[in-house]
Amino acid sequence: MTEHSKALIDQFGRKHDYLRISLIEKCNLRCTYCMPEHGIPLSPAKELMTAEEIGNFAEIFVGFGVKKIRLTGGEPFLRKDFADIARLLAAFPVEISITTNGMLLDRNIELLQDLGIKHLNFSLDTLKESRFLEMTRRTGFQKTMENFHLAIEEQFQLKINCVLMKGENDDEIIDFIRLTKDLPISVRFIEFMPFDGNKWNKSKLVSEAEILAQVEEAFGKANLISLPDEKNLTARKFKIEGFQGEFGIISSVTNPFCGTCNRIRLTANGRIKNCLFSNRETDLLKVMRAGGNVEELILESIYNKKAVRAGMDNLEKLSDPELHSQNRSMIAIGG
């Protein structure tokens, strides 16, 4: 392997150094935008990556220049050997972060602190208990909020992921932003994205313009501050004058950020996805177990990444069920 090929670069020159590893397909919630109403067929346990295999894959990707690894699910804390996996990955010279719904955070907080894992993405789509039950199809709101405040008290670097859906929770935009007044957090509003079984419809989208219109009305246009874009941005970031925290808008559908994408996804059953929207996957785990050349498959997958959303480069294509419904459900991909 040449020096140049040690970096994961696609045909458009984008360098990929951020890996998201899904640890499990199971979740203790049933969020409507993530999991189909009747659930999904789960991969047999023998087809899921073991802790050792996750460590082996991480070593390969770190060798390719990956600098950040995010652990996702399902709900990653449901994985019985989560502690073993976290310890394995914490040994690599990368930033480790976790996406969680927070319900099991208190049981794992000492482990995270011991390993120096301080970055959490906390999925929270409503601040109302009755709506939480509707959106997640589960109870647990009080526990979620307790662990939200625990994460702040323990000084984790906290991002709130809020998936907005018109007519369901877009009336809470201002309530979420008010959280940033006295809390050092980042609230990120995420557009509702199409996946198999989540009944996506473009009429449910809440655009960046609609969000900012609400913000300007509530806080005044002069108090809305636009923050500099990050190198590999997903969220366009803002804050309110005088507030401790900030908020961001992730417009994957109406205003995608594909041109600076540096992300790779590895599913719980060991398949690489070079784009969240792509239905094309390469089974790395099968090849690894057979002693095959995993590195070449990774390079090939990344190189062949499409320019925009797996080739769905306009809203018409994205709205076509024949295209987006061939992808996995979000629960089976990982956040």
Side-chain angles (χ1 to χ4, degrees):
M1 192 177 298
T2 66
E3 285 298 315
H4 180 71
S5 67
K6 288 183 180 178
L8 296 173
I9 300 174
D10 68 16
Q11 59 189 313
F12 303 100
R14 295 172 294 196
K15 183 178 179 181
H16 295 69
D17 57 7
Y18 179 9
L19 173 66
R20 299 187 178 198
I21 303 176
S22 175
L23 302 186
I24 192 168
E25 296 172 350
K26 297 177 181 178
C27 189
N28 43 5
L29 299 180
R30 294 290 183 272
C31 297
T32 56
Y33 57 82
C34 184
M35 183 181 283
E37 186 174 356
H38 301 295
I40 63 168
L42 297 173
S43 300
K46 65 181 180 181
E47 294 181 11
L48 299 179
M49 296 182 290
T50 64
E52 182 181 5
E53 287 166 340
I54 290 170
N56 291 341
F57 277 125
E59 184 175 11
I60 292 169
F61 279 101
V62 170
F64 276 129
V66 163
K67 296 182 174 64
K68 180 176 179 178
I69 295 176
R70 174 173 298 283
L71 303 181
T72 70
E75 171 49 52
F77 289 136
L78 283 176
R79 178 103 182 205
K80 291 182 172 63
D81 56 355
F82 175 82
D84 297 332
I85 295 168
R87 290 189 184 100
L88 278 171
L89 299 187
F92 292 106
V94 296
E95 176 190 304
I96 304 293
S97 57
I98 298 170
T99 295
T100 175
N101 60 38
M103 292 184 69
L104 301 175
L105 178 61
D106 54 320
R107 302 184 193 179
N108 294 276
I109 204 160
E110 289 186 12
L111 170 70
L112 301 185
Q113 291 170 326
D114 289 346
L115 295 177
I117 298 173
K118 299 293 291 183
H119 297 267
L120 293 178
N121 278 23
F122 203 102
S123 299
L124 184 65
D125 303 308
T126 179
L127 300 173
K128 299 177 179 180
E129 186 165 8
S130 60
R131 185 171 286 172
F132 183 92
L133 179 61
E134 293 172 5
M135 295 186 73
T136 69
R137 305 186 186 109
R138 291 291 185 272
T139 57
F141 177 77
Q142 293 300 328
K143 186 65 174 179
T144 299
M145 296 309 297
E146 286 172 12
N147 282 340
F148 165 67
H149 290 291
L150 177 63
I152 294 170
E153 290 166 11
E154 296 297 328
Q155 299 184 334
F156 282 83
Q157 295 186 33
L158 197 62
K159 294 178 180 177
I160 304 301
N161 285 349
C162 175
V163 176
L164 287 180
M165 290 177 281
K166 187 167 290 185
E168 294 192 33
N169 64 342
D170 56 325
D171 59 339
E172 295 188 64
I173 290 171
I174 302 307
D175 293 334
F176 272 102
I177 293 177
R178 286 198 176 107
L179 289 177
T180 70
K181 181 177 181 180
D182 300 313
L183 300 176
I185 62 175
S186 176
V187 174
R188 289 119 58 85
F189 298 113
I190 303 172
E191 278 187 334
F192 182 34
M193 292 180 282
F195 296 100
D196 184 36
N198 73 352
K199 300 179 181 178
W200 182 85
N201 189 296
K202 63 183 179 182
S203 67
K204 295 182 179 180
L205 292 176
V206 184
S207 69
E208 178 177 308
E210 290 173 296
I211 294 170
L212 294 181
Q214 282 199 39
V215 173
E216 290 177 3
E217 183 177 354
F219 301 105
K221 187 173 184 177
N223 292 316
L224 175 62
I225 301 170
S226 179
L227 300 175
D229 288 338
E230 297 172 345
K231 180 183 176 183
N232 299 107
L233 84 158
T234 55
R236 292 168 181 86
K237 299 194 300 181
F238 306 86
K239 71 176 299 175
I240 304 301
E241 179 72 42
F243 282 23
Q244 279 196 53
E246 62 185 39
F247 70 96
I249 302 172
I250 300 178
S251 305
S252 305
V253 177
T254 61
N255 195 11
F257 42 83
C258 303
T260 59
C261 184
N262 65 337
R263 290 154 192 79
I264 315 157
R265 284 177 167 80
L266 189 63
T267 64
N269 60 348
R271 299 183 180 190
I272 187 173
K273 288 178 71 76
N274 62 21
C275 175
L276 178 61
F277 290 93
S278 177
N279 58 18
R280 297 189 65 181
E281 303 175 349
T282 302
D283 193 340
L284 300 183
L285 183 59
K286 182 178 179 180
V287 174
M288 174 182 277
R289 288 177 174 176
N293 192 332
V294 170
E295 289 88 347
E296 287 300 322
L297 290 178
I298 293 171
L299 288 167
E300 181 182 357
S301 175
I302 298 303
Y303 183 80
N304 289 326
K305 184 171 182 171
K306 301 289 187 181
V308 178
R309 286 185 310 227
M312 292 181 284
D313 52 9
N314 58 52
L315 196 53
E316 286 70 34
K317 289 181 183 178
L318 198 65
S319 301
D320 183 354
E322 290 299 316
L323 296 176
H324 71 242
S325 66
Q326 295 174 31
N327 199 0
R328 293 185 186 218
S329 300
M330 189 67 197
I331 184 75
I333 297 173

